[in-house]
Amino acid sequence: MPKIKTKKSAAKRFKRTGTGKIKRYRAFASHLLSKKSRKRKRFLKKAVLVGRSDFSRIKPLIPYKTIGG
């Protein structure tokens, strides 16, 4: 059985936590920031866990992803 390749685009966007959950960053925080409130920009900086419905789609993309890697 050959090893599964890691999707490099997914590896850059997602990280695994110690318990095996997948962490992601929020969208809409890269440009056009002057019209967004300070509170909203602060909220967009924070990471969030991937939802249950998306977890099963993302998990195969990063099969061997280690913490902080």
Coordinates of all heavy atoms in Angstrom, one line a residue:
M1 N 0.8 -1.2 0.0 CA 0.0 0.0 0.0 C 0.9 1.2 0.0 O 1.6 1.5 0.9 CB -0.9 0.0 1.2 CG -2.0 0.9 1.2 SD -3.2 0.3 0.0 CE -4.6 1.2 0.3
P2 N 0.8 2.1 -1.1 CA 1.7 3.3 -1.1 C 1.2 4.3 -0.1 O 0.0 4.4 0.3 CB 1.5 3.7 -2.5 CG 0.3 3.2 -3.0 CD 0.0 1.9 -2.3
K3 N 2.1 5.2 0.2 CA 1.7 6.3 1.1 C 0.9 7.3 0.3 O 1.0 7.4 -0.9 CB 3.0 7.1 1.5 CG 3.8 6.3 2.6 CD 4.8 7.3 3.2 CE 6.2 6.8 3.0 NZ 7.2 7.7 3.5
I4 N 0.0 8.0 1.0 CA -0.8 9.0 0.4 C -0.1 10.4 0.4 O 0.5 10.8 1.4 CB -2.2 9.2 1.2 CG1 -2.9 7.9 1.3 CG2 -3.1 10.2 0.5 CD1 -3.9 7.9 2.4
K5 N -0.1 11.1 -0.8 CA 0.5 12.4 -0.8 C -0.3 13.4 -0.1 O -1.5 13.4 -0.2 CB 0.7 12.8 -2.3 CG 1.9 12.1 -3.0 CD 2.2 12.7 -4.3 CE 3.4 12.1 -4.9 NZ 3.7 12.8 -6.2
T6 N 0.4 14.3 0.5 CA -0.2 15.5 1.2 C -0.5 16.5 0.1 O 0.4 16.8 -0.7 CB 0.7 16.1 2.3 OG1 0.9 15.1 3.3 CG2 0.1 17.3 2.9
K7 N -1.7 17.1 0.1 CA -2.0 18.2 -0.7 C -1.3 19.5 -0.2 O -1.7 19.9 0.9 CB -3.5 18.5 -0.7 CG -4.4 18.2 -1.9 CD -3.8 18.3 -3.2 CE -4.9 17.8 -4.2 NZ -4.4 17.7 -5.5
K8 N -0.4 20.0 -0.9 CA 0.4 21.1 -0.4 C -0.4 22.4 -0.1 O -0.1 23.1 0.8 CB 1.6 21.4 -1.3 CG 2.6 20.3 -1.3 CD 3.2 20.1 0.1 CE 4.3 19.0 0.0 NZ 4.9 18.8 1.4
S9 N -1.4 22.6 -1.0 CA -2.2 23.8 -0.8 C -3.0 23.7 0.5 O -3.1 24.7 1.2 CB -3.2 24.0 -2.0 OG -4.0 22.8 -2.1
A10 N -3.4 22.5 0.9 CA -4.2 22.3 2.1 C -3.2 22.4 3.3 O -3.6 22.9 4.4 CB -4.9 21.0 2.1
A11 N -2.0 21.9 3.2 CA -1.0 21.9 4.2 C -0.7 23.3 4.7 O -0.4 23.6 5.8 CB 0.2 21.1 3.8
K12 N -0.7 24.2 3.7 CA -0.4 25.6 4.0 C -1.6 26.3 4.7 O -1.4 27.3 5.4 CB -0.1 26.4 2.7 CG 1.2 25.9 2.1 CD 1.4 26.5 0.8 CE 2.6 25.8 0.1 NZ 2.8 26.2 -1.3
R13 N -2.8 25.8 4.5 CA -4.0 26.5 5.0 C -4.5 25.9 6.3 O -5.1 26.6 7.1 CB -5.1 26.4 4.0 CG -4.9 27.3 2.8 CD -6.0 27.0 1.8 NE -6.0 27.9 0.6 CZ -5.2 27.8 -0.4 NH1 -4.3 26.8 -0.5 NH2 -5.2 28.7 -1.4
F14 N -4.2 24.7 6.6 CA -4.7 24.0 7.8 C -3.6 23.4 8.6 O -2.6 23.0 8.1 CB -5.7 22.8 7.4 CG -6.8 23.3 6.5 CD1 -6.8 22.9 5.1 CD2 -7.9 24.0 7.0 CE1 -7.8 23.3 4.3 CE2 -8.9 24.3 6.1 CZ -8.9 24.0 4.8
K15 N -3.9 23.4 9.9 CA -3.0 22.8 10.9 C -3.8 21.8 11.8 O -4.9 22.0 12.0 CB -2.4 23.8 11.8 CG -1.6 24.9 11.1 CD -0.3 24.5 10.6 CE 0.5 25.6 9.9 NZ 0.9 25.2 8.6
R16 N -3.1 20.7 12.2 CA -3.7 19.8 13.1 C -3.4 20.2 14.5 O -2.3 20.6 14.9 CB -3.1 18.4 12.9 CG -3.7 17.6 11.7 CD -4.8 16.7 12.2 NE -5.6 16.1 11.1 CZ -5.2 15.0 10.6 NH1 -4.1 14.4 10.9 NH2 -5.9 14.5 9.6
T17 N -4.4 20.0 15.4 CA -4.2 20.3 16.8 C -3.7 19.0 17.5 O -3.6 17.9 16.8 CB -5.5 20.7 17.5 OG1 -6.4 19.6 17.4 CG2 -6.1 21.9 16.9
G18 N -3.3 19.1 18.7 CA -2.8 17.9 19.5 C -3.9 16.8 19.6 O -3.5 15.6 19.6
T19 N -5.1 17.1 19.6 CA -6.2 16.1 19.7 C -6.7 15.6 18.4 O -7.6 14.8 18.3 CB -7.4 16.7 20.5 OG1 -7.8 17.9 19.9 CG2 -7.0 17.0 21.9
G20 N -6.1 16.1 17.2 CA -6.5 15.6 15.9 C -7.5 16.5 15.2 O -7.9 16.2 14.1
K21 N -8.0 17.6 15.8 CA -8.9 18.4 15.1 C -8.1 19.3 14.1 O -6.9 19.4 14.2 CB -9.6 19.4 16.2 CG -10.5 18.6 17.1 CD -11.0 19.5 18.2 CE -11.8 18.7 19.2 NZ -12.0 19.4 20.4
I22 N -8.8 19.9 13.2 CA -8.2 20.7 12.2 C -8.5 22.2 12.4 O -9.7 22.6 12.6 CB -8.6 20.3 10.8 CG1 -8.2 18.8 10.6 CG2 -7.9 21.1 9.7 CD1 -8.7 18.2 9.3
K23 N -7.5 23.0 12.4 CA -7.6 24.5 12.7 C -7.4 25.2 11.4 O -6.6 24.8 10.5 CB -6.5 24.9 13.6 CG -6.5 26.3 14.1 CD -5.5 26.5 15.2 CE -4.1 26.6 14.7 NZ -3.1 27.1 15.6
R24 N -8.2 26.3 11.2 CA -8.1 27.1 10.0 C -8.2 28.6 10.4 O -8.6 28.9 11.5 CB -9.2 26.8 9.0 CG -10.6 27.2 9.5 CD -11.7 27.2 8.5 NE -13.0 27.5 9.0 CZ -13.5 28.7 9.1 NH1 -12.8 29.7 8.7 NH2 -14.7 28.9 9.6
Y25 N -7.8 29.5 9.5 CA -8.0 30.9 9.7 C -9.1 31.4 8.9 O -9.6 30.9 7.9 CB -6.7 31.6 9.4 CG -5.6 31.4 10.4 CD1 -4.7 30.4 10.2 CD2 -5.6 32.1 11.6 CE1 -3.7 30.1 11.1 CE2 -4.6 31.8 12.5 CZ -3.7 30.8 12.3 OH -2.8 30.5 13.3
R26 N -9.7 32.6 9.4 CA -10.9 33.1 8.8 C -10.6 33.8 7.5 O -9.5 34.4 7.3 CB -11.5 34.1 9.8 CG -12.0 33.4 11.0 CD -12.6 34.4 12.0 NE -13.0 33.8 13.2 CZ -14.1 33.1 13.4 NH1 -15.0 33.0 12.5 NH2 -14.3 32.6 14.6
A27 N -11.6 33.9 6.6 CA -11.4 34.6 5.3 C -11.7 36.1 5.5 O -12.1 36.5 6.6 CB -12.4 34.0 4.3
F28 N -11.5 36.9 4.5 CA -11.8 38.3 4.4 C -10.9 39.2 5.3 O -11.3 40.2 5.7 CB -13.3 38.6 4.8 CG -14.3 37.8 4.0 CD1 -15.0 36.7 4.6 CD2 -14.5 38.0 2.7 CE1 -15.9 36.0 3.9 CE2 -15.4 37.2 1.9 CZ -16.1 36.2 2.5
A29 N -9.7 38.7 5.5 CA -8.8 39.5 6.4 C -7.6 40.0 5.6 O -6.6 40.4 6.3 CB -8.4 38.7 7.6
S30 N -7.5 39.9 4.3 CA -6.3 40.1 3.6 C -6.2 41.5 2.9 O -5.2 42.1 2.9 CB -6.1 39.1 2.5 OG -7.2 39.0 1.7
H31 N -7.4 42.1 2.5 CA -7.3 43.4 1.8 C -8.7 44.0 2.0 O -9.6 43.5 2.6 CB -6.9 43.3 0.4 CG -7.9 42.5 -0.5 ND1 -8.5 43.1 -1.6 CD2 -8.4 41.3 -0.4 CE1 -9.4 42.2 -2.1 NE2 -9.3 41.1 -1.4
L32 N -8.8 45.3 1.6 CA -10.0 46.1 1.8 C -10.3 46.2 3.3 O -11.5 46.1 3.7 CB -11.2 45.6 1.0 CG -11.0 45.5 -0.5 CD1 -12.2 44.8 -1.1 CD2 -10.8 46.8 -1.1
L33 N -9.3 46.5 4.1 CA -9.5 46.5 5.5 C -9.9 47.8 6.1 O -10.4 47.9 7.2 CB -8.2 46.1 6.2 CG -7.7 44.6 5.9 CD1 -6.3 44.4 6.5 CD2 -8.7 43.6 6.4
S34 N -9.8 48.9 5.3 CA -10.1 50.2 5.8 C -11.6 50.4 6.1 O -12.0 51.1 7.0 CB -9.7 51.3 4.9 OG -10.3 51.1 3.6
K35 N -12.5 49.6 5.4 CA -13.9 49.7 5.6 C -14.4 48.8 6.7 O -15.5 48.9 7.1 CB -14.7 49.4 4.3 CG -14.5 48.0 3.8 CD -15.5 47.8 2.6 CE -14.9 48.2 1.3 NZ -15.7 47.7 0.2
K36 N -13.5 47.9 7.2 CA -13.9 47.0 8.3 C -13.6 47.6 9.6 O -12.6 48.3 9.8 CB -13.2 45.7 8.1 CG -13.7 45.0 6.8 CD -12.8 43.8 6.5 CE -13.2 43.2 5.1 NZ -12.3 42.4 4.5
S37 N -14.5 47.3 10.6 CA -14.3 47.9 11.9 C -13.1 47.3 12.6 O -12.7 46.2 12.3 CB -15.5 47.7 12.8 OG -15.7 46.4 13.1
R38 N -12.6 47.9 13.6 CA -11.4 47.4 14.4 C -11.8 46.1 15.1 O -11.0 45.2 15.1 CB -11.1 48.5 15.4 CG -9.7 48.2 16.1 CD -9.4 49.3 17.0 NE -9.2 50.6 16.4 CZ -9.1 51.8 17.0 NH1 -9.2 51.8 18.3 NH2 -8.9 52.9 16.3
K39 N -13.0 46.0 15.6 CA -13.5 44.8 16.2 C -13.6 43.7 15.3 O -13.2 42.5 15.6 CB -14.9 45.1 16.8 CG -15.5 43.9 17.6 CD -16.9 44.3 18.1 CE -17.5 43.1 18.7 NZ -18.8 43.4 19.3
R40 N -14.1 43.9 14.1 CA -14.2 42.9 13.1 C -12.8 42.3 12.6 O -12.6 41.1 12.5 CB -14.9 43.4 11.9 CG -15.2 42.3 10.8 CD -16.1 42.9 9.7 NE -16.2 42.0 8.6 CZ -16.6 42.3 7.4 NH1 -17.0 43.6 7.2 NH2 -16.6 41.5 6.4
K41 N -11.8 43.3 12.4 CA -10.5 42.9 12.0 C -9.8 42.0 13.1 O -9.1 41.1 12.9 CB -9.6 44.1 11.7 CG -10.0 44.7 10.4 CD -9.1 45.8 10.0 CE -9.5 47.1 10.7 NZ -8.8 48.3 10.1
R42 N -10.1 42.4 14.4 CA -9.5 41.7 15.5 C -10.1 40.2 15.6 O -9.4 39.3 15.8 CB -9.8 42.4 16.8 CG -9.0 42.1 18.0 CD -9.2 43.1 19.1 NE -10.6 43.3 19.5 CZ -11.2 44.5 19.4 NH1 -10.5 45.6 19.0 NH2 -12.4 44.6 19.8
F43 N -11.4 40.1 15.3 CA -12.1 38.9 15.2 C -11.6 38.0 14.1 O -11.4 36.8 14.3 CB -13.6 39.1 15.1 CG -14.4 37.9 14.9 CD1 -14.8 37.1 15.9 CD2 -14.9 37.6 13.6 CE1 -15.6 36.0 15.7 CE2 -15.7 36.5 13.4 CZ -16.1 35.7 14.5
L44 N -11.2 38.6 13.0 CA -10.8 37.8 11.8 C -9.4 37.2 12.0 O -9.0 36.3 11.3 CB -10.8 38.7 10.6 CG -12.2 39.1 10.0 CD1 -12.0 40.1 8.9 CD2 -12.9 37.9 9.5
K45 N -8.6 37.8 12.9 CA -7.3 37.3 13.2 C -7.3 35.9 13.9 O -6.3 35.1 13.7 CB -6.5 38.2 14.1 CG -6.0 39.4 13.5 CD -5.2 40.2 14.6 CE -5.0 41.7 14.1 NZ -4.4 42.5 15.2
K46 N -8.3 35.6 14.6 CA -8.4 34.4 15.4 C -8.6 33.2 14.6 O -9.4 33.2 13.7 CB -9.5 34.5 16.5 CG -9.2 35.6 17.5 CD -10.2 35.7 18.6 CE -9.8 36.8 19.6 NZ -10.8 36.9 20.6
A47 N -8.0 32.1 15.0 CA -8.2 30.8 14.3 C -9.4 30.2 14.8 O -9.9 30.5 15.9 CB -7.0 29.9 14.5
V48 N -10.0 29.3 14.0 CA -11.2 28.6 14.4 C -11.1 27.1 13.9 O -10.3 26.8 13.0 CB -12.4 29.3 13.7 CG1 -12.4 29.2 12.2 CG2 -13.7 28.8 14.3
L49 N -11.8 26.2 14.6 CA -11.7 24.8 14.2 C -12.6 24.6 13.0 O -13.7 25.2 12.8 CB -12.2 23.9 15.3 CG -11.3 23.9 16.6 CD1 -11.9 23.1 17.7 CD2 -9.9 23.4 16.2
V50 N -12.2 23.7 12.1 CA -13.0 23.3 11.0 C -14.3 22.6 11.4 O -14.2 21.8 12.4 CB -12.2 22.4 10.0 CG1 -13.0 21.7 9.0 CG2 -11.1 23.2 9.4
G51 N -15.4 22.9 10.8 CA -16.7 22.3 11.2 C -16.8 20.8 10.9 O -16.0 20.3 10.1
R52 N -17.8 20.2 11.5 CA -17.9 18.7 11.3 C -18.2 18.4 9.8 O -17.7 17.4 9.3 CB -19.1 18.2 12.1 CG -18.8 17.8 13.5 CD -19.9 17.1 14.1 NE -21.2 17.7 13.8 CZ -22.4 17.4 14.4 NH1 -22.4 16.4 15.3 NH2 -23.5 17.9 14.0
S53 N -19.0 19.2 9.1 CA -19.3 18.9 7.7 C -18.1 18.9 6.8 O -18.0 18.2 5.8 CB -20.4 19.8 7.3 OG -20.0 21.1 7.4
D54 N -17.2 19.8 7.1 CA -16.0 20.0 6.2 C -14.8 19.1 6.7 O -13.9 18.9 5.9 CB -15.5 21.5 6.2 CG -16.5 22.4 5.6 OD1 -17.1 21.9 4.6 OD2 -16.7 23.5 6.0
F55 N -14.8 18.7 7.9 CA -13.7 17.9 8.5 C -13.4 16.6 7.6 O -12.3 16.3 7.3 CB -14.0 17.5 9.9 CG -12.9 16.8 10.6 CD1 -11.9 17.5 11.2 CD2 -12.9 15.4 10.6 CE1 -10.8 16.8 11.8 CE2 -11.8 14.7 11.3 CZ -10.8 15.5 11.8
S56 N -14.5 15.9 7.2 CA -14.3 14.7 6.4 C -13.8 15.0 5.0 O -13.1 14.1 4.4 CB -15.6 14.0 6.3 OG -16.6 14.8 5.7
R57 N -13.9 16.2 4.5 CA -13.4 16.5 3.2 C -11.9 16.9 3.3 O -11.1 16.7 2.4 CB -14.2 17.7 2.6 CG -15.5 17.4 2.1 CD -16.2 18.5 1.3 NE -16.1 19.8 2.0 CZ -15.6 20.9 1.4 NH1 -15.1 20.8 0.1 NH2 -15.5 22.0 2.0
I58 N -11.5 17.6 4.4 CA -10.2 18.1 4.6 C -9.2 17.0 5.1 O -8.0 17.0 4.8 CB -10.2 19.4 5.4 CG1 -11.0 20.4 4.7 CG2 -8.8 19.8 5.8 CD1 -11.4 21.6 5.6
K59 N -9.7 16.2 6.0 CA -8.9 15.2 6.6 C -8.0 14.4 5.6 O -6.8 14.2 5.9 CB -9.7 14.2 7.5 CG -8.9 13.4 8.4 CD -9.8 12.5 9.2 CE -9.0 11.5 10.1 NZ -9.9 10.6 10.8
P60 N -8.6 13.8 4.5 CA -7.7 13.1 3.6 C -6.6 13.9 2.9 O -5.6 13.4 2.4 CB -8.7 12.5 2.5 CG -10.0 12.8 3.0 CD -10.0 13.8 4.1
L61 N -6.8 15.2 2.8 CA -5.9 16.1 2.2 C -4.6 16.3 2.9 O -3.5 16.6 2.4 CB -6.5 17.5 1.9 CG -7.8 17.5 1.1 CD1 -8.3 18.9 1.0 CD2 -7.6 16.9 -0.3
I62 N -4.7 16.1 4.3 CA -3.5 16.3 5.1 C -3.4 15.0 6.0 O -3.5 15.1 7.2 CB -3.5 17.6 5.9 CG1 -4.8 17.8 6.6 CG2 -3.2 18.8 5.1 CD1 -4.8 19.0 7.6
P63 N -3.1 13.9 5.4 CA -3.0 12.6 6.2 C -1.9 12.5 7.2 O -2.1 11.9 8.3 CB -2.9 11.5 5.1 CG -2.2 12.2 4.0 CD -2.7 13.6 4.0
Y64 N -0.8 13.1 7.0 CA 0.4 13.0 7.9 C 0.8 14.3 8.5 O 1.8 14.4 9.1 CB 1.6 12.4 7.1 CG 1.3 11.2 6.3 CD1 1.2 11.2 4.9 CD2 1.0 10.0 7.0 CE1 0.9 10.1 4.2 CE2 0.6 8.9 6.3 CZ 0.6 8.9 4.9 OH 0.3 7.8 4.2
K65 N -0.1 15.3 8.4 CA 0.3 16.6 8.9 C 0.5 16.6 10.4 O -0.3 16.2 11.2 CB -0.9 17.6 8.6 CG -0.6 19.0 8.8 CD 0.3 19.5 7.7 CE 0.6 21.0 7.9 NZ 2.0 21.3 7.8
T66 N 1.7 17.1 10.8 CA 2.0 17.1 12.2 C 1.8 18.5 12.8 O 1.6 19.5 12.0 CB 3.5 16.8 12.4 OG1 4.3 17.7 11.7 CG2 3.8 15.4 12.0
I67 N 1.8 18.6 14.1 CA 1.5 19.9 14.8 C 2.7 20.9 14.5 O 3.8 20.5 14.7 CB 1.4 19.7 16.3 CG1 0.2 18.7 16.5 CG2 1.1 21.0 17.0 CD1 0.3 18.1 17.9
G68 N 2.3 22.1 14.1 CA 3.3 23.1 13.8 C 4.2 22.9 12.6 O 5.1 23.7 12.3
G69 N 3.9 21.9 11.8 CA 4.7 21.6 10.6 C 4.4 22.3 9.4 O 3.4 23.0 9.2

